[in-house]
Amino acid sequence: MPLGQQLRSLFCFKVNNGASDPPASYCTTCASINIKRILRDGLLKENAISLGFLLDIIKKGDHCVLCRLISTLIRRRWRLDNHPNIDLQGIECSLTAFSCGTLDPELEERKQSHRLYIYPSTRPSEVSSAMEAWADLSLNIQLMEEDAHKVSRKRDLHGRRMKDVVDVGMIKRWINLCESEHGDECESIWWRAKDEGLPGFVRMVDVVQMALVSASPNCRYVALSYVWGGPGDAYWTTKANATARGSPDGLDNSVLPATIIDSIRLVQQLGERYLWIDALCIIQDSLEDKVDQIHIMDLIYSRATFTICAAGGDSARAGLPGLTAGSRTCQQHIEIIHGLHLALPLPSVAQSVAQSTWNTRGWTFQELVLSRRRVIFTKDEVYFECMKDVWCEDVIAESPTVRFSGTPMRTLRTGMFLRASYSSQSMEIRNYANNIKQYTQRHLTQESDIIAAMTALTNALARTSGATDKDPNTSYRFGMWITNLDYSLLWHPKLSVACYPRRMVTDLEHSHWPTWTWAGWKGAVNYNQETQLIGMLFPDTHSSPDESLVPTWYMVTDDGEVVQLDVRKLSSVKIISDDIPPPSYIAPVGYASDADVGFSPPAGTLIFRTRCARFQVRRLCDVEQSGDKPEVYAVFQIFPVDPGFSKCVGSIALPSSISSLAGLEFIVLSRCSGSPGIHDEEFLGKHYYGCMLHVMAVQQAHDPRIRERVGVGVILEAAWLKSGLEVEESVVLLA
């Protein structure tokens, strides 16, 4: 019988949910374990108890209750049902117990609570790669609250029994606890003035009158984040029905989808009155109203008392799991072991959300990161997140003191990608890069929404940065951070993504987004990936630019005007070894202007002076990527065109369709650093700080006067100069 079938048959044992307590039986190993003492005193890893081989534990699961619990834990956490042919041979498991903290500041160290942990001797590669997506590799088992006294502990940080219907009163307590105890950390909106109210054109759903009403500037309200799952003409607010919906009972429940109906019901049960829902509060067939609302989305979601995140389904018809009877099935697995009720914790909020359709949608990303408080409905349970804490249904963890807790709830959050008042430029850039990385992994029904769906995010990012220009209309263009253009140009396609076609738009002003912005391409992108791309050649190279080598940047506006961009200049001082001046690339000193162009380039074209040269590229590995999806991007080495110069001088990620030995045009962008030993110092000279150049490979567009981005990489400055490529600067038009 194949291993996959063996696993499925071995895992087909009965699961006890605690409803009945049949006599427990144990294998010899598990019978000798003193669970009560371990949960009371803990058990360090060096004193771990050997449980034997995993396959033996799985086999014993049909008659040993502890083996059954451990087997189910590993099957769920490792998702073995998704890997039927996985090899589990030779994996040994051991048992320990570590402190998961305390919520009581008066408790001594010895009174902290503990969880059981299962440690495998190794982990299959398929499991590791999947689990690292949400950064939780732990296999833990928790004691239920009703038995905490048996190990001389309080109920805090122990398991809580769930019901088929969520306790709305508990959600209300979560909200009240945050509002009353967390102070300014969960109240302030650092990218907006504290007294900034809602504009007069904002509407709310009055859940008492069931009508659309104008919001007062300081209105207390709840926001909804959900998956549309297709057009909703039947329930959208339009010019035709907007007036009628302004009357009491003007909102007809019969046409509203389940998620909206449930959200209204939840707000009513929580004692709130106003709810903001985009499909109802924005006039969907009014372009003017849409534009107005899109540009204040950061204000709408950040000012909301909390946001309901409907992450339990794939459309607006799915509803909120657990709000009504029959809308979810409780997934708690509880076993009675040595007189104690032990349970498998449900997935952390990050894990549960990571598996949702809601987490894949482009519009929901900014709704997630801009909300101060979030009540998240998933298929597993309901979670609460604020800027300071995380709570959920299956663990008792609520505390005004926010004491130390090692539970997965606090260590694994859905991601707080927006931070306040970064004190350094490098941290600001990292903030931007992390947000773009997360956002571009998501999908849009309308590809032309790529910029609109992150307008609220760039509004907030512009105001959180230390740049003097905090106007998002000028500091961000096409999703790119213009203030730090030297850095924001250095994005790379994520190599594991299968497709990077051009992103076409449907408006009348553009036929496509510019190639130099990540928004011009479908698919996930990354920053700080350059080190990975060139790791096989230059393992310690830093990807952040150290010095600007383009003197002035210009852009063509939508109305055809050429304007100078406000780009922050980077200036570095080289560290010279042994007082020997290193070779020096000389940046252009002139500037580009509309007079240098002589024609009207398309809107979004970057115009700048730099130096250009041709190099040859060779694919680093000609072996095709395994699997069903072909490799779209690959790592290429860069070589001089001169056949007498055979040494690799750089590396770049390029479309795999480019043939080896192809000659490409390169333009210089900025200077970056590298560590000693990254090149042949005998041939190219000693290492020095700033010894590498960020370069972009470009190609001719349909109009031969215009260039398009092909890829970004690095070249050794000494190699550029040694190859005799110090040509006159050129005006580059990059569209």
Side-chain angles (χ1 to χ4, degrees):
M1 180 184 298
L3 179 59
Q5 295 182 22
Q6 294 181 43
L7 287 175
R8 283 191 290 272
S9 63
L10 290 172
F11 278 125
C12 289
F13 40 68
K14 182 179 179 181
V15 174
N16 176 27
N17 61 7
S20 59
D21 300 339
S25 60
Y26 306 94
C27 66
T28 303
T29 299
C30 294
S32 64
I33 299 175
N34 190 331
I35 298 293
K36 288 184 180 180
R37 185 178 65 188
I38 292 174
L39 285 172
R40 183 191 66 209
D41 302 332
L43 183 65
L44 297 178
K45 192 173 182 180
E46 53 264 32
N47 301 322
I49 298 173
S50 175
L51 299 174
F53 289 98
L54 175 56
L55 286 178
D56 292 335
I57 294 173
I58 293 173
K59 291 177 182 178
K60 292 186 295 183
D62 59 351
H63 67 271
C64 174
V65 65
L66 182 54
C67 286
R68 178 165 70 226
L69 190 65
I70 294 170
S71 300
T72 304
L73 170 66
I74 294 176
R75 175 176 62 85
R76 288 185 179 181
R77 191 59 60 88
W78 286 9
R79 297 193 180 188
L80 294 182
D81 290 344
N82 297 340
H83 303 282
N85 298 317
I86 200 167
D87 184 9
L88 301 179
Q89 297 284 348
I91 299 177
E92 297 182 75
C93 295
S94 57
L95 173 70
T96 67
F98 287 146
S99 168
C100 58
T102 177
L103 300 181
D104 189 341
E106 302 300 325
L107 285 182
E108 301 176 9
E109 180 74 21
R110 60 186 178 85
K111 285 290 187 178
Q112 291 189 3
S113 301
H114 294 87
R115 282 190 176 195
L116 302 178
Y117 283 84
I118 308 300
Y119 280 93
S121 59
T122 186
R123 188 183 300 110
S125 58
E126 303 96 321
V127 172
S128 296
S129 59
M131 294 175 68
E132 286 172 1
W134 48 79
D136 183 18
L137 305 179
S138 64
L139 299 167
N140 61 90
I141 298 171
Q142 65 185 4
L143 177 67
M144 295 300 292
E145 60 173 320
E146 60 262 36
D147 291 336
H149 69 280
K150 295 181 180 179
V151 295
S152 304
R153 293 296 182 269
K154 292 186 175 183
R155 302 163 79 90
D156 296 342
L157 298 179
H158 291 100
R160 174 164 47 203
R161 287 187 181 269
M162 291 175 54
K163 301 177 181 178
D164 290 338
V165 177
V166 64
D167 180 359
V168 175
M170 179 174 61
I171 296 177
K172 188 170 185 177
R173 289 192 296 274
W174 289 341
I175 297 167
N176 291 339
L177 182 59
C178 174
E179 288 189 295
S180 62
E181 300 294 340
H182 291 174
D184 196 54
E185 187 169 354
C186 292
E187 288 295 334
S188 64
I189 307 171
W190 49 85
W191 61 89
R192 292 276 188 175
K194 287 188 175 181
D195 58 352
E196 184 173 1
L198 295 173
F201 55 78
V202 175
R203 306 171 191 85
M204 294 288 168
V205 175
D206 184 332
V207 301
V208 175
Q209 297 190 57
M210 283 305 294
L212 279 181
V213 299
S214 295
S216 64
N218 297 313
C219 174
R220 177 185 171 94
Y221 62 95
V222 179
L224 174 64
S225 175
Y226 64 111
V227 178
W228 281 26
D233 309 59
Y235 65 89
W236 288 347
T237 294
T238 63
K239 295 176 183 178
N241 62 22
T243 301
R245 289 186 167 186
S247 303
D249 297 321
L251 279 173
D252 183 1
N253 266 353
S254 66
V255 301
L256 300 180
T259 298
I260 291 180
I261 292 175
D262 282 355
S263 299
I264 291 173
R265 182 180 295 116
L266 174 63
V267 171
Q268 291 171 337
Q269 293 176 4
L270 290 171
E272 303 289 347
R273 180 158 186 172
Y274 298 108
L275 174 62
W276 190 88
I277 305 173
D278 53 5
L280 303 185
C281 298
I282 300 175
I283 300 177
Q284 297 298 316
D285 56 354
S286 169
L287 179 60
E288 180 181 2
D289 196 53
K290 277 189 172 182
V291 170
D292 287 342
Q293 303 274 358
I294 285 173
H295 282 86
I296 62 160
M297 285 287 186
D298 63 309
L299 183 62
I300 288 175
Y301 278 97
S302 62
R303 284 196 83 260
T305 302
F306 63 92
T307 298
I308 302 169
C309 300
D314 56 6
S315 76
R317 299 179 298 275
L320 300 178
L323 191 68
T324 58
S327 59
R328 73 175 180 186
T329 301
C330 184
Q331 298 296 317
Q332 280 187 309
H333 182 134
I334 302 172
E335 298 279 7
I336 301 176
I337 299 174
H338 296 309
L340 300 175
H341 289 82
L342 300 180
L344 304 184
L346 293 178
S348 69
V349 60
Q351 295 168 341
S352 190
V353 168
Q355 301 171 44
S356 68
T357 300
W358 177 84
N359 196 56
T360 68
R361 308 308 299 164
W363 282 96
T364 61
F365 179 72
Q366 62 181 15
E367 297 164 4
L368 166 71
V369 300
L370 296 175
S371 299
R372 294 176 295 159
R373 304 181 186 90
R374 303 183 283 271
V375 177
I376 306 174
F377 282 78
T378 74
K379 62 181 182 62
D380 299 302
E381 60 177 321
V382 178
Y383 305 86
F384 174 89
E385 278 191 329
C386 60
M387 303 303 295
K388 200 168 183 179
D389 214 338
V390 182
W391 300 314
C392 61
E393 288 184 85
D394 80 317
V395 179
I396 299 175
E398 301 84 3
S399 170
T401 59
V402 196
R403 290 285 293 168
F404 165 75
S405 165
T407 61
M409 298 158 322
R410 289 176 179 169
T411 57
L412 290 173
R413 310 173 76 172
T414 58
M416 305 299 289
F417 303 113
L418 188 64
R419 293 290 190 268
S421 303
Y422 276 112
S423 58
S424 69
Q425 181 183 349
S426 62
M427 291 298 291
E428 292 170 9
I429 290 173
R430 189 178 304 173
N431 190 23
Y432 168 78
N434 197 22
N435 277 279
I436 298 306
K437 174 184 175 180
Q438 300 294 330
Y439 174 64
T440 55
Q441 294 179 25
R442 297 176 173 236
H443 307 288
L444 293 161
T445 302
Q446 299 293 331
E447 291 296 336
S448 58
D449 287 344
I450 183 65
I451 301 301
M454 68 168 298
T455 297
L457 180 60
T458 53
N459 285 349
L461 287 171
R463 293 180 173 92
T464 57
S465 72
T468 55
D469 179 9
K470 297 189 177 185
D471 179 0
N473 295 320
T474 56
S475 57
Y476 284 86
R477 300 287 183 89
F478 303 107
M480 298 282 278
W481 192 2
I482 297 301
T483 307
N484 286 291
L485 188 60
D486 286 314
Y487 182 90
S488 58
L489 283 171
L490 303 181
W491 59 270
H492 285 280
K494 190 174 181 181
L495 296 182
S496 60
V497 177
C499 187
Y500 281 89
R502 289 291 300 277
R503 191 189 303 275
M504 307 305 290
V505 298
T506 57
D507 60 45
L508 299 178
E509 296 179 353
H510 308 89
S511 60
H512 56 262
W513 303 116
T515 61
W516 53 268
T517 169
W518 50 261
W521 304 88
K522 298 179 184 179
V525 304
N526 204 353
Y527 284 91
N528 299 322
Q529 188 173 324
E530 188 167 334
T531 304
Q532 301 172 24
L533 295 176
I534 63 179
M536 290 166 280
L537 299 174
F538 309 127
D540 296 318
T541 298
H542 304 293
S543 60
S544 297
D546 296 312
E547 182 181 357
S548 303
L549 296 178
V550 174
T552 312
W553 298 88
Y554 293 83
M555 180 186 289
V556 180
T557 63
D558 290 341
D559 58 9
E561 182 183 359
V562 177
V563 299
Q564 183 176 342
L565 300 177
D566 183 13
V567 178
R568 177 161 39 191
K569 294 300 176 185
L570 303 173
S571 179
S572 65
V573 178
K574 292 183 180 179
I575 300 175
I576 303 173
S577 301
D578 301 328
D579 297 325
I580 301 175
S584 180
Y585 169 90
I586 301 175
V589 295
Y591 63 92
S593 68
D594 53 354
D596 296 318
V597 176
F599 72 105
S600 298
T605 299
L606 285 178
I607 304 175
F608 55 98
R609 282 186 177 272
T610 187
R611 298 187 185 277
C612 308
R614 293 191 67 82
F615 282 85
Q616 192 177 76
V617 296
R618 301 177 192 174
R619 188 166 177 174
L620 184 62
C621 179
D622 290 325
V623 179
E624 292 296 323
Q625 180 178 336
S626 61
D628 298 332
K629 297 179 179 179
E631 186 181 47
V632 176
Y633 266 72
V635 179
F636 285 73
Q637 295 177 332
I638 304 173
F639 291 84
V641 176
D642 182 357
F645 194 166
S646 60
K647 294 183 180 295
C648 170
V649 299
S651 185
I652 189 170
L654 296 171
S656 57
S657 58
I658 292 178
S659 60
S660 286
L661 305 181
L664 294 178
E665 182 181 6
F666 286 79
I667 59 175
V668 175
L669 299 175
S670 55
R671 184 187 302 282
C672 60
S673 304
S675 299
I678 64 175
H679 66 274
D680 186 341
E681 295 189 15
E682 181 177 349
F683 185 72
L684 294 172
K686 290 188 176 182
H687 168 268
Y688 54 91
Y689 183 84
C691 62
M692 306 193 76
L693 303 176
H694 279 298
V695 292
M696 179 184 292
V698 296
Q699 64 184 7
Q700 285 186 354
H702 180 71
D703 184 334
R705 297 170 294 184
I706 295 175
R707 297 295 183 264
E708 294 180 342
R709 181 194 195 273
V710 180
V712 171
V714 291
I715 290 178
L716 287 162
E717 177 185 37
W720 178 289
L721 300 177
K722 193 175 184 66
S723 299
L725 298 170
E726 186 65 19
V727 298
E728 293 183 3
E729 66 262 20
S730 301
V731 176
V732 174
L733 283 73
L734 186 63

